[in-house]
């Protein structure tokens, strides 16, 4: 029989180190932000960079899980431990090449929701996880977990018809398979171009008329801006709104066990930024 001293019970002292961590970080929450990949657009990396810069400006640490069609497959070590495949790009941004990874986590019902748990366990020090994947893979990963949630994915395109067609197809997949009936849009185009507004209006009309889906907000960004340039106020507002509609995931016991492993880093803050 294990005896706990009365003084420890009265003072609320942790009975072990792991218990102490649970007391320090009782409501540690990750936010999963779905970004729909578009292989017809060459500026997908720019979209991910801008989001990471915005979240770094908010004081958040971000992990980009890149399962898009142009991404690298995960390393062999990641097949045994996802944390081994995570690459630190800066103090605030980490990257996991993950092409094909959602299918490796699919269950008998066609869901890859277990990947979300695995990612949370592999990166407990992270605040935001950007899931960059096709619409069908995002549905596999998140639809089961997002039931009853106000999830709103980010879709992007450029000025070319092929990019717009793929964006509409993605909205259709999400509306029909997951009943995600709202999305935000980024149009990658030169600031002097008048096509951005036309493209956004065309996608909004098609999504509404044929799918009943709503384009809640859209923004035109210049894909040729240097990566060192700070995001503008409008982009920061959209990034913050995406966080409010992201999938929240509370760290479980396995994540705390990972924090207790040798060499593991503690979370960067003791309270959640967004609840």
């Amino acid at each position: 029989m294990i005896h706990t001293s009365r003084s420890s019970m009265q003072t609320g002292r942790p009975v072990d180190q792991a218990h102490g961590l649970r007391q320090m970080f009782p409501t540690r929450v990750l936010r999963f932000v779905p970004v729909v990949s578009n292989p017809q657009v060459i500026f997908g990396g720019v979209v991910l960079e801008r989001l990471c810069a915005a979240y770094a400006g908010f004081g958040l640490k971000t992990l980009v899980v890149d399962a898009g069609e142009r991404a690298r497959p995960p390393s062999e070590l990641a097949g045994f431990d996802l944390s081994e495949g995570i690459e630190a790009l800066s103090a605030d941004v980490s990257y996991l090449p993950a092409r094909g990874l959602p299918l490796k986590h699919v269950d008998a019902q066609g869901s890859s929701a277990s990947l979300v748990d695995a990612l949370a366990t592999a990166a407990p020090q992270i605040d935001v996880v950007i899931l960059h994947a096709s619409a069908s893979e995002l549905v596999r990963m998140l639809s089961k977990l997002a039931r009853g949630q106000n999830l709103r994915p980010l879709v992007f395109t450029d000025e070319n018809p092929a990019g717009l067609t793929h964006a509409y197809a993605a909205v259709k997949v999400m509306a029909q398979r997951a009943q995600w009936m709202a999305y935000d849009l980024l149009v990658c185009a030169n600031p002097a171009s008048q096509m951005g507004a036309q493209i956004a209006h065309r996608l909004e009309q098609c999504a509404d008329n044929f799918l009943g889906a709503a384009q809640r907000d859209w923004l035109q960004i210049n894909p040729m801006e240097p990566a060192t340039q700070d995001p503008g106020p409008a982009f920061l507002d959209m990034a913050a709104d995406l966080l409010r509609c992201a999938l929240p995931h509370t760290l479980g016991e396995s994540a705390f066990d990972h924090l207790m492993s040798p060499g593991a880093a503690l979370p960067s803050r003791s309270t959640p930024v967004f609840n």
Side-chain angles (χ1 to χ4, degrees):
M1 180 180 295
I2 299 176
H3 297 278
T4 303
S5 68
R6 181 175 298 178
S7 61
S8 293
M9 295 176 63
Q10 290 176 341
T11 61
R13 294 175 184 170
V15 297
D16 58 28
Q17 196 173 7
H19 183 215
L21 279 175
R22 294 184 185 95
Q23 287 185 329
M24 291 170 62
F25 308 104
T27 55
R28 178 86 177 148
V29 177
L30 281 72
R31 303 282 166 172
F32 285 80
V33 177
V35 178
V36 185
S37 61
N38 192 332
Q40 303 300 325
V41 178
I42 63 173
F43 303 117
V46 173
V47 172
L48 299 177
E49 281 183 355
R50 300 287 171 81
L51 284 174
C52 290
Y55 296 144
F58 298 156
L60 303 173
K61 295 183 181 297
T62 303
L63 170 63
V64 176
V65 179
D66 192 356
E69 295 85 348
R70 297 175 180 268
R72 291 182 282 123
S75 66
E76 291 185 11
L77 287 176
F80 301 97
D81 183 353
L82 279 182
S83 63
E84 294 293 334
I86 296 176
E87 306 167 6
L89 302 184
S90 70
D92 299 309
V93 180
S94 299
Y95 178 81
L96 175 64
R99 179 165 55 86
L101 191 60
L103 278 178
K104 293 182 179 179
H105 285 258
V106 74
D107 61 18
Q109 285 73 45
S111 171
S112 298
S114 63
L115 179 56
V116 173
D117 293 321
L119 289 169
T121 301
Q125 74 280 9
I126 292 297
D127 300 297
V128 181
V129 178
I130 297 175
L131 291 177
H132 179 235
S134 67
S136 60
E137 289 195 325
L138 288 174
V139 169
R140 286 194 189 98
M141 286 187 281
L142 301 178
S143 61
K144 182 178 179 181
L145 300 171
R147 288 172 186 164
Q149 301 283 342
N150 185 28
L151 191 70
R152 190 167 69 244
L154 177 66
V155 177
F156 64 86
T157 185
D158 58 11
E159 299 174 286
N160 296 314
L164 178 59
T165 300
H166 192 277
Y168 173 74
V171 173
K172 183 176 181 179
V173 166
M174 294 186 292
Q176 293 182 342
R177 297 187 189 177
Q179 288 73 56
W180 296 342
M181 305 305 293
Y183 65 94
D184 284 341
L185 174 68
L186 285 179
V187 180
C188 301
N190 188 287
S193 173
Q194 302 299 316
M195 289 292 294
Q198 297 176 29
I199 290 168
H201 181 64
R202 189 177 309 169
L203 182 58
E204 180 182 24
Q205 279 193 320
C206 290
D208 185 23
N209 293 339
F210 299 111
L211 304 173
Q215 181 173 291
R216 187 182 180 280
D217 197 8
W218 80 276
L219 191 64
Q220 183 169 325
I221 63 170
N222 180 7
M224 305 310 294
E225 280 182 353
T228 54
Q229 184 164 333
D230 292 334
F235 189 89
L236 291 175
D237 287 344
M238 176 178 279
D241 207 36
L242 287 171
L243 276 186
R244 297 184 187 99
C245 295
L247 177 71
H249 189 285
T250 303
L251 288 182
E253 297 293 314
S254 57
F256 284 103
D257 292 340
H258 181 80
L259 282 173
M260 293 302 298
S261 64
L266 294 179
S268 58
R269 52 185 58 80
S270 58
T271 55
V273 176
F274 292 91
N275 267 330

